[in-house]
Amino acid sequence: MDVLTIRVMENSSDTSVFRVQAHCGDPFLLAFWLQKGFFDNGQVQQTNVLVHEDNSVVEFVLRVLHRCSRLPNDYYLTPFLVNLCLDALAFHYQLPPQPDWDGTIREAMNGNCLELRR
């Protein structure tokens, strides 16, 4: 079974820079992410994408453009994480089964980690 793990590395409410790591054994999905245009929805902008030495980890660097201290980090990270999940679904990964899942990424994530399997 192939597992894709997405981790939010920086989840501090006082910062506007987040790192999201995707651990994946699928070289095609990793290559897709490296060639894909940077994410920018007007509130969050991807500033970089890095590949770790073992070539199975891609790290996305995101910057919040206009941060409001009253909004949780999930508000800013969710559109990017949904984007990653949609890419993974196109490569035949499946979201984790949750018995009472309300459809939000916050509900699907276990802490700062989300695992998709195929």
Side-chain angles (χ1 to χ4, degrees), residues 4 6 22-24 28-38 46 49 58 60 83-85 87-88:
L4 163 65
I6 298 172
H23 300 257
C24 180
F28 298 110
L29 178 55
L30 294 172
F32 174 78
W33 279 332
L34 291 174
Q35 296 171 6
K36 186 177 179 179
F38 279 11
Q46 180 182 343
V49 60
V58 174
F60 303 94
N83 206 20
L84 287 185
C85 289
D87 293 342

Side-chain angles (χ1 to χ4, degrees), residues 16-60:
S16 61
V17 176
F18 296 95
R19 294 182 178 271
V20 176
Q21 286 186 352
H23 300 257
C24 180
D26 185 341
F28 298 110
L29 178 55
L30 294 172
F32 174 78
W33 279 332
L34 291 174
Q35 296 171 6
K36 186 177 179 179
F38 279 11
F39 179 85
D40 186 348
N41 70 351
Q43 293 180 320
V44 175
Q45 184 179 64
Q46 180 182 343
T47 59
N48 204 355
V49 60
L50 309 165
V51 179
H52 287 222
E53 291 178 12
D54 64 359
N55 292 327
S56 67
V57 178
V58 174
E59 186 170 303
F60 303 94

